[in-house]
Amino acid sequence: MKVLVVGSGGREHAVVDALAQSSRISKIFAAPGNGGIAEQAELVAISADDIERLASFAREQRVDLTFVGPEVPLSKGIVDVFIGHGMPVIGPTADQARLESSKSFAKRFFETNQIPTAAFSECSTPAKAYHVLERSKYPVVIKADGLAAGKGVVIAQRPDEARDAIKLLMEAKSLGEAGAKLVIEEFLAGEEASFHVFADGATFQPMVAAQDHKRRFDGDSGPNTGGMGAYSIDTILSIAQHDAVVNRIIRPTLQAARSYSGILYAGLMLTSDGPKLLEYNARFGDPETQVILFRLKTDLLDVFTDIVEHRLAARQLEWRNEAAATVVLVAREYPGRVESGKEITGLNEAKRIEGVKVYHAGTRSEGGRIYTNGGRVLNVTARGATLAQALEKAYFVAQMIEFDGKDYRRDIGKKGLAK
Ligand code: AMP
Ligand code: GLY
């Protein structure tokens, strides 16, 4: 089979790497891919949101199956276009992807379907937003309605901070149209967890749980980022929490969002009152995918084929009874502006370490060398019998790899060790 993977991050590298293990793969294309993906796939110089060119490419190359990583092409309707051309594709339609692309749509959906979530108000004008703040408890959570690449959420501790956030988002339009509408919601306390399922339009199969680390610095301090690391162990959710997520959150969602197909990722808060849904994403999480797929024993291409053929109900997913952890190596200034083009060394040595994969995110390859190309550079991912062993290996390899300005969090998985 010929497969096209759309995207260029560590998530897409993990997907390409998993597909490359399949005996049924004859060719993988990645658009636009990165320096690591280039070792397992042919890179295609089309950007991930150039839907028409991606569709033409897939048709000309007779691609059998396309997988879409990022949210932007999904929200712009890449799946609708591929389906329109009769080409098999993994992902929800633009309409279904509104569960991620519009927070107000998503919150109303949760409310209608009685899915446990934070209490909220929807605000389309600054006046309404300031009014809602007057009767809010603090901290309060303010969210831009549209896609904002992780920058759309403000947790305000005090009224003045909350008012500043509204001024910035709605009046100064700091995120453009994404902030034209806001959701103001109740702050939920607890541990976060990422829960993913594969869905084929009729049924779903849960994946193992993971936990992301969104803040830039140790101890969950500093600005939010696209993710500084993740781990996956079975004890992230208790059996009761797992059942509550499946029965009270995922099942009612997929019953209401009829025919939802692809990956659904629930961002959860494990509150003292049971798991509550913070948000949905209509795609795989990054860097959660890196640890989840590193535990998947089942052939990922078989799962993807089940999805497009609506045969997921008969599939028994098999997972390694091990822990996985990933440490994101970033450029020091990330998430601020970074300088790219630094040569990366130590990657070949890292390849020789058993139970470790270094997924590339912001890299490019040139003349047989690999250079940094963005703020999030590499995802050093390791498996171990215990989380402590997986982390030890990941950190060992994180030290072997060098590039100018390399930085990473030292406390990935620390909360999981306590479990
Ligand atoms: P989101 O962009 O919706 O994933 O939100 C980003 C982060 O904000 C989440 O990962 C949480 O850490 C935090 N967050 C969002 N909503 C809430 C809430 N209602 N209560 C507490 N924290 C929240
Ligand atoms: N890991 C957070 C995200 O992918 O949105």
Side-chain angles (χ1 to χ4, degrees):
M1 276 180 88
K2 282 194 200 174
V3 178
L4 168 64
V5 173
V6 176
S8 61
R11 165 181 58 203
E12 287 77 16
H13 193 183
V15 168
V16 164
D17 182 66
L19 292 173
Q21 322 292 321
S22 175
S23 57
R24 295 195 296 124
I25 280 279
S26 55
K27 174 103 192 171
I28 307 177
F29 295 106
N34 63 38
I37 292 176
E39 291 177 16
Q40 287 161 308
E42 182 177 325
L43 300 193
V44 182
I46 304 177
S47 101
D49 43 19
D50 193 343
I51 294 173
E52 292 303 330
R53 282 184 65 208
L54 290 168
S56 306
F57 175 83
R59 200 172 40 239
E60 281 157 21
Q61 296 290 332
R62 299 177 189 279
V63 164
D64 298 296
L65 181 69
T66 297
F67 167 83
V68 185
E71 61 273 25
V72 171
L74 291 169
S75 73
K76 287 168 78 178
I78 188 169
V79 168
D80 308 70
V81 170
F82 274 63
I83 291 175
H85 290 296
M87 297 191 290
V89 57
I90 304 286
T93 62
D95 195 42
Q96 293 163 344
R98 279 190 301 161
L99 279 178
E100 170 167 11
S101 62
S102 166
K103 298 233 190 255
S104 58
F105 170 83
K107 291 295 288 195
R108 269 184 265 150
F109 179 96
F110 305 164
E111 190 172 52
T112 310
N113 296 291
Q114 297 177 345
I115 292 166
T117 189
F120 72 103
S121 304
E122 196 183 317
C123 308
S124 329
T125 61
K128 166 92 191 274
Y130 292 122
H131 181 69
V132 167
L133 285 186
E134 279 168 26
R135 44 184 177 79
S136 294
K137 284 204 204 108
Y138 286 80
V140 71
V141 183
I142 299 168
K143 300 185 172 184
D145 183 60
L147 291 180
K151 298 188 183 74
V153 176
V154 177
I155 297 176
Q157 303 295 335
R158 296 184 315 269
D160 57 314
E161 274 177 56
R163 282 194 300 270
D164 286 349
I166 288 167
K167 206 174 282 168
L168 200 66
L169 288 167
M170 278 193 131
E171 299 188 49
K173 296 196 167 53
S174 61
L175 295 173
E177 276 312 295
K181 242 196 281 181
L182 300 180
V183 166
I184 299 186
E185 69 178 35
E186 167 199 13
F187 175 83
L188 299 176
E191 275 299 309
E192 281 183 65
S194 301
F195 192 85
H196 292 67
V197 303
F198 294 108
D200 74 352
T203 186
F204 66 91
Q205 294 282 356
M207 302 185 214
V208 290
Q211 192 176 48
D212 186 10
H213 299 60
K214 289 204 171 96
R215 300 293 201 97
R216 173 64 176 81
F217 300 113
D218 285 14
D220 290 331
S221 63
N224 259 323
T225 70
M228 294 296 295
Y231 66 95
S232 173
I233 43 170
D234 289 337
T235 49
I236 289 177
L237 297 180
S238 68
I239 291 172
Q241 285 169 325
H242 180 279
D243 290 349
V245 174
V246 167
N247 294 319
R248 300 189 56 205
I249 299 179
I250 303 291
R251 202 183 303 283
T253 297
L254 291 174
Q255 263 163 9
R258 287 218 161 271
S259 76
Y260 184 101
S261 184
I263 315 296
L264 183 67
Y265 150 20
L268 304 169
M269 190 66 90
L270 306 177
T271 75
S272 53
D273 205 20
K276 294 196 179 175
L277 183 60
L278 290 180
E279 58 156 1
Y280 272 130
N281 295 300
R283 53 168 175 87
F284 266 126
D286 189 340
E288 289 94 323
T289 306
Q290 290 83 315
V291 287
I292 292 171
L293 293 185
F294 209 27
R295 293 187 60 196
L296 180 65
K297 278 206 261 180
T298 310
D299 182 323
L300 184 62
L301 186 57
D302 287 346
V303 182
F304 283 177
T305 309
D306 288 347
I307 292 176
V308 293
E309 294 177 356
H310 312 290
R311 287 194 284 109
L312 206 49
R315 171 70 55 190
Q316 279 285 337
L317 293 179
E318 286 189 74
W319 300 95
R320 287 173 194 274
N321 189 17
E322 284 179 303
T326 190
V327 176
V328 179
L329 306 188
V330 299
R332 191 173 295 124
E333 293 78 14
Y334 175 74
R337 268 177 71 105
V338 303
E339 212 180 297
S340 289
K342 313 286 185 195
E343 187 175 351
I344 305 172
T345 58
L347 291 168
N348 288 331
E349 292 74 6
K351 279 196 187 125
R352 291 197 278 271
I353 313 272
E354 169 77 23
V356 171
K357 297 240 180 182
V358 180
Y359 297 120
H360 291 223
T363 73
R364 77 188 158 76
S365 128
E366 197 183 300
R369 294 170 196 267
I370 302 280
Y371 298 90
T372 67
N373 188 30
R376 285 149 63 90
V377 179
L378 297 165
N379 310 146
V380 183
T381 311
R383 270 196 309 252
T386 62
L387 180 58
Q389 287 170 17
L391 286 166
E392 193 183 337
K393 246 191 247 177
Y395 277 114
F396 176 72
V397 173
Q399 282 171 14
M400 286 170 65
I401 295 171
E402 288 300 341
F403 57 87
D404 188 26
K406 176 187 82 170
D407 196 15
Y408 52 92
R409 269 180 65 163
R410 267 60 177 181
D411 65 345
I412 302 302
K414 210 167 174 181
K415 286 188 212 154
L417 288 175
K419 292 205 176 193

